Amino acid sequence: MRFTSDASSDGIREQLFALGDVPGALWTPAGSTGPRPLILLGHGGGEHKKAPAVLALAHRLVTGCGFAVVTPDVPGHGDRPLHEEYDRIATANRARIEAGAEPGPLLAEFHALVARRTVPEWRAVLDAVQRLDHVGAAPVGYWGISLGCGLGVPFVAAEPRVRAAVLGLGGALASAAEAARITAPVRFLLQWDDERVPRTAGLALFEALGSAEKTLHANPGRHGDLPPHERDAALPFFTRHLA
């Protein structure tokens, strides 16, 4: 892991890094030492490691809970170069959706493809970050909606260090088998009028989760209308299961 910047402000230390060809950001309480719970935050499609919504949630988890938060850039996002295959598929999918195709199956298939690359990348990021003295080998949580859910379901299923996860705005078309392998507690978010992920697909993904403890939180509105209080609720959820 190579750090490219290290700065502290308002009680938060931000370290930008590169692990091989994976850039990312790590936030911890300024001046902290010793192990602490770590949240891997999966950003949404078209976002990146320092998108406003990502920063806001990461800062709240650091200042409100004392956690460490890490966010890697997904291929083709942020500081990563254009991925020709993924870009070609995404462009073709947009054209098909504009022509009237159902977006759910196309998005699910694309997320499953990208996850085959991101899951091992994210596991390597966990390995590297937990070797740092100011993070350590404490329990891990995961937060990701939309693209972050499509990539997060196979990641959480594959990674036993994840003890709790917030997932949502995703469907079961390509991830039901992985969802069944998840046993960690899950808080699942669903937008009742989601125009990108059919309600039935979101409910099917919740049903497929193998977790003994899982809760469904449904709100009216479209894909991008997730209420702010659902992000706020991540703090007590992770504190209960990780701290």
Side-chain angles (χ1 to χ4, degrees), residues 76-95:
H77 293 69
D79 291 325
R80 300 189 73 157
L82 178 71
H83 192 290
E84 292 186 3
E85 180 186 7
Y86 296 164
D87 185 62
R88 175 181 55 79
I89 295 172
T91 300
N93 283 348
R94 282 193 294 270

Side-chain angles (χ1 to χ4, degrees), residues 100-196:
E102 286 291 333
L106 299 176
L107 292 172
E109 183 178 354
F110 180 65
H111 292 170
L113 172 65
V114 180
R116 289 199 284 270
R117 178 167 181 173
T118 56
V119 168
E121 289 181 348
W122 290 0
R123 300 187 76 181
V125 166
L126 283 188
D127 291 341
V129 170
Q130 289 198 313
R131 285 194 289 266
L132 300 172
D133 291 339
H134 58 299
V135 178
V140 174
Y142 179 79
W143 195 98
I145 58 174
S146 193
L147 174 64
C149 179
L151 305 181
V153 167
F155 169 70
V156 175
E159 182 46 74
R161 284 173 287 186
V162 175
R163 305 286 184 84
V166 177
L167 301 164
L169 309 191
L173 291 172
S175 55
E178 287 88 355
R181 291 164 45 206
I182 293 176
T183 57
V186 173
R187 180 180 175 91
F188 190 84
L189 311 179
L190 183 144
Q191 287 300 103
W192 204 248
D193 309 297
D194 197 321
E195 77 282 7
R196 301 184 66 186

